[in-house]
Amino acid sequence: SRDPGSVCHICFQEFQSDDKVFAPSCGHVLHLNCFWVMLTGYTLPGGEVHRGKCRKCRSKWQWPPMVKSNLCCILVSAASSALAPRLK
């Protein structure tokens, strides 16, 4: 939760009132920028690398079905736009 004194579980910094935050499916609140760090990967002390997992509970981030569907449409549209000039 985002209680006073609570911290982001990626960077361990306390939340400020103007911080942009995101709560992944596990419910642990993160700074929005730290969420992207979580997705792309971070290294724990000792060298262990985690990608797409909450640092606190190690739950794997799952893209919701609607996001997967939208991402697929965006990729197909981009690919068809890139190929269209070549097909003429």
Side-chain angles (χ1 to χ4, degrees), residues 49-86:
V49 177
H50 284 269
R51 283 187 183 82
K53 292 182 182 178
C54 175
R55 191 173 194 165
K56 178 150 178 105
C57 66
R58 304 291 193 265
S59 292
K60 186 165 175 56
W61 166 252
Q62 299 291 325
W63 290 104
M66 181 63 82
V67 173
K68 285 182 185 178
S69 175
N70 287 346
L71 184 58
C72 183
C73 290
I74 290 167
L75 292 174
V76 167
S77 177
S80 65
S81 294
L83 293 175
R86 296 180 186 175

Side-chain angles (χ1 to χ4, degrees), residues 24-56:
S25 53
C26 66
H28 292 113
V29 181
L30 311 171
H31 290 110
L32 186 57
N33 289 340
C34 292
F35 169 71
W36 294 111
V37 169
M38 180 187 83
L39 283 182
T40 58
Y42 55 91
T43 304
L44 294 174
E48 186 179 357
V49 177
H50 284 269
R51 283 187 183 82
K53 292 182 182 178
C54 175
R55 191 173 194 165
K56 178 150 178 105

